[in-house]
Amino acid sequence: MPKKETKVQQLEKELLNKPKNVGEIDNNILNEAQKFCEGYKEFLRNKTERAVVDYTIPILKAHKYTEFQMGKKYKAGDKFYYNNRGKALIMVTVGKRPVSDGLRLGVSHIDSPRLDFKPNPLFEDIDMAFFKTHYYGGIKKYQWTTVPMSLHGVIRLTDGKTVKVRIGEEEGDPLFCITDLLPHLARNQMKKPANEIVEGEQLNVLIGSWPYGDEKVSGKVKLNILNMLHEKYGITEKDFLSAELCATPAYEPRDYGLDRSMIGAYGQDDSVCAYASFMAELDTKKPDFTTVTVFTDKEETGSDGNTGMRSLFLKDFLEDFVSAYGLSARHVLMRSVCMSCDVNAAVDPAFAENYERNNASYLNYGPVVSKYTGGGGKYSTNDASAETMGYIRSILEEAKIPWQVGELGKIDNGGGGTIASEISVHNLDTVDVGVPVLSMHAPLEITAKADVYLLYKAVLAFYNCTRPKD
Ligand code: MN
Ligand code: MN
């Protein structure tokens, strides 16, 4: 017989907000999460925004999504997508309510921090050939040396053909990395501040060391590499000028931990939210409100550019979609709600002093809802209203999905933004929802499977909610 609760215990239960590890709420969640995360690991093998879009479109087609047609009046249950330059994607499921009642949007980004090649990347030094990079996104540069890397991207030739590059991901492929100085000679290096231990111009990917077998030419190692690239891809050095190439960590997404409760992989910021919202989008059949799932690019460099969230591509697409009903996008958007799906920082006991414990997110405590992001003094943040927080909260609680709040670290410790402010600029209610991550922006990021799965459930509940916003 369980002991009867005392009056004070009852009072505690009623009055206090005590977040719990979801494993204590329902220990079976991990089993469901395991299954869900098998698909997530597959998704994570796509390490650039282009790879994600290429991977996603055939799946959309298999789920009866068709390419968006301007002027078409879609009906409830119709599914379609819009591909922005192979780097950003919009997926829609039309709801039963008129579009004028507003949309339910889930927006995530599919670019991740990495090392982009410079336009003129190939050079030879001390009989070795390298690719010169300019890092993309906010990284601790010293973390990226001696990490197994792979090469990705596209090269556009002058005849209009595009060559796709993906080397270092398959078994039997060669390995690449950024080299580092041996500790024996690092006395001076180790005295430098961490942001100077490895400098931007030292992030060069070693790619070859064997000379071309000819006495008469100089730069024989570089020439040998170019010759190989020419044979494989038909390219010359000038073709790098019209290319987007990068190096990313090469290792496979894997189960993490003896209990396999986590995922260790590159690019979980923000593929974790992209995958969870993608699955929710696929599983939403005939919702009340029309759902719009967006994969955007360029978040890690500030969302500028025509495939980033500061571009008008989403607004313009919505204009084209809703004008078929005689509506204008702004009137639809002002009645819409958006989950801006991005990761937050999970408390790490090794660095616990950087978090304010009552307002930080924890692994295995469920999806994290961040009222605001930004930096000290709440600069540059969307800051969701009480009403929007209340709306999301009511959906999550009704669906019995455990969730937590999260602030990105202590007030004056730094900070960081998400695309929520790029979305709310269009006058719709937006809130950040995501998954807590350990070692964010490192070559190996860690998430908890239960959180990944529960984010999917959260977005699914949001997409299928019948409750109008007040
Ligand atoms: Mn992110
Ligand atoms: Mn990020």
Side-chain angles (χ1 to χ4, degrees), residues 90 105 107 292 294 309 311-319:
I90 303 173
L105 295 98
V107 186
V292 180
V294 182
M309 243 330 70
S311 150
L312 291 175
F313 82 89
L314 174 61
K315 180 89 182 278
D316 286 352
F317 160 81
L318 291 175
E319 197 68 68

Side-chain angles (χ1 to χ4, degrees), residues 418-459:
T418 65
I419 48 177
S421 46
E422 267 75 48
I423 296 165
S424 59
V425 76
H426 299 300
N427 191 23
L428 67 154
D429 289 322
T430 304
V431 64
D432 277 293
V433 183
V435 165
V437 178
L438 287 174
S439 309
M440 195 196 294
H441 284 203
L444 185 75
E445 298 175 316
I446 295 161
T447 58
K449 288 178 178 176
D451 297 330
V452 181
Y453 176 61
L454 289 170
L455 176 65
Y456 154 74
K457 301 270 270 187
V459 180

Side-chain angles (χ1 to χ4, degrees), residues 148-207:
M149 304 283 267
S150 52
L151 311 181
H152 305 259
V154 296
I155 306 165
R156 179 66 167 230
L157 308 179
T158 45
D159 65 2
K161 278 196 201 116
T162 301
V163 176
K164 285 192 182 180
V165 176
R166 189 173 183 269
I167 317 169
E169 287 290 333
E170 303 304 324
E171 227 184 295
D173 275 3
L175 186 65
F176 308 92
C177 84
I178 313 288
T179 54
D180 200 353
L181 184 62
L182 62 167
H184 318 63
L185 297 181
R187 193 178 294 160
N188 290 333
Q189 184 194 31
M190 298 311 283
K191 281 187 206 144
K192 291 182 182 176
N195 63 351
E196 289 169 20
I197 289 174
V198 174
E199 294 191 18
E201 296 295 351
Q202 291 174 317
L203 295 173
N204 304 320
V205 184
L206 174 63
I207 51 152

Side-chain angles (χ1 to χ4, degrees), residues 85-393:
R85 297 171 168 84
K87 298 169 77 168
L89 196 60
I90 303 173
M91 300 157 263
V92 177
T93 303
V94 179
K96 289 179 281 194
R97 283 174 179 265
V99 172
S100 55
D101 283 359
L103 313 166
R104 296 295 174 267
L105 295 98
V107 186
S108 56
H109 67 91
I110 51 174
D111 61 317
S112 298
R114 63 184 181 220
L115 307 177
D116 274 356
F117 286 18
K118 292 198 182 193
N120 204 4
L122 187 58
F123 74 98
E124 176 175 332
D125 200 0
I126 317 180
D127 291 358
M128 289 176 280
F130 299 87
F131 280 133
K132 211 160 210 344
T133 69
H134 189 142
Y135 61 96
Y136 174 97
I139 60 168
K140 289 169 153 181
K141 294 183 280 285
Y142 66 82
Q143 288 181 331
W144 292 67
T145 63
T146 67
V147 168
M149 304 283 267
S150 52
L151 311 181
H152 305 259
V154 296
I155 306 165
R156 179 66 167 230
L157 308 179
T158 45
D159 65 2
K161 278 196 201 116
T162 301
V163 176
K164 285 192 182 180
V165 176
R166 189 173 183 269
I167 317 169
E169 287 290 333
E170 303 304 324
E171 227 184 295
D173 275 3
L175 186 65
F176 308 92
C177 84
I178 313 288
T179 54
D180 200 353
L181 184 62
L182 62 167
H184 318 63
L185 297 181
R187 193 178 294 160
N188 290 333
Q189 184 194 31
M190 298 311 283
K191 281 187 206 144
K192 291 182 182 176
N195 63 351
E196 289 169 20
I197 289 174
V198 174
E199 294 191 18
E201 296 295 351
Q202 291 174 317
L203 295 173
N204 304 320
V205 184
L206 174 63
I207 51 152
S209 72
W210 198 250
Y212 198 86
D214 190 304
E215 277 294 293
K216 287 173 208 113
V217 291
S218 59
K220 296 184 189 69
V221 179
K222 173 177 167 175
L223 186 66
N224 198 30
I225 291 291
L226 262 177
N227 191 41
M228 285 176 178
L229 292 172
H230 183 70
E231 277 170 11
K232 185 161 183 194
Y233 298 111
I235 63 164
T236 68
E237 189 174 18
K238 240 185 167 178
D239 292 318
F240 285 123
L241 302 179
S242 52
E244 279 181 291
L245 294 162
C246 68
T248 72
Y251 28 72
E252 300 247 311
R254 282 166 70 176
D255 288 347
Y256 191 99
L258 282 172
D259 55 9
R260 293 179 183 267
S261 63
M262 294 168 274
I263 298 267
Y266 160 74
Q268 298 205 67
D269 171 11
D270 186 30
S271 280
V272 65
C273 298
Y275 183 71
S277 59
F278 177 44
M279 287 299 110
E281 166 65 40
L282 292 183
D283 289 346
T284 298
K285 300 303 175 195
K286 240 187 199 181
D288 255 36
F289 295 93
T290 295
T291 67
V292 180
T293 304
V294 182
F295 287 174
T296 184
D297 178 29
K298 296 274 184 276
E299 193 276 342
E300 298 295 358
T301 53
S303 295
D304 293 304
N306 56 10
T307 51
M309 243 330 70
R310 297 183 72 165
S311 150
L312 291 175
F313 82 89
L314 174 61
K315 180 89 182 278
D316 286 352
F317 160 81
L318 291 175
E319 197 68 68
D320 290 341
F321 164 46
V322 307
S323 60
Y325 306 92
L327 302 164
S328 66
R330 65 195 169 100
H331 294 135
V332 176
L333 281 167
M334 63 193 263
R335 309 199 63 184
S336 300
V337 187
C338 176
M339 274 189 173
S340 171
C341 299
D342 207 346
V343 295
N344 203 322
V347 176
D348 182 337
F351 304 97
E353 73 280 6
N354 295 286
Y355 303 84
E356 191 267 284
R357 293 214 177 187
N358 284 336
N359 289 285
S361 60
Y362 299 83
L363 283 194
N364 284 316
Y365 276 64
V368 45
V369 180
S370 309
K371 186 177 185 301
Y372 51 86
T373 56
K378 282 190 163 185
Y379 262 73
S380 306
T381 181
N382 160 65
D383 206 349
S385 67
E387 291 84 350
T388 307
M389 289 296 284
Y391 181 71
I392 295 296
R393 180 183 161 204

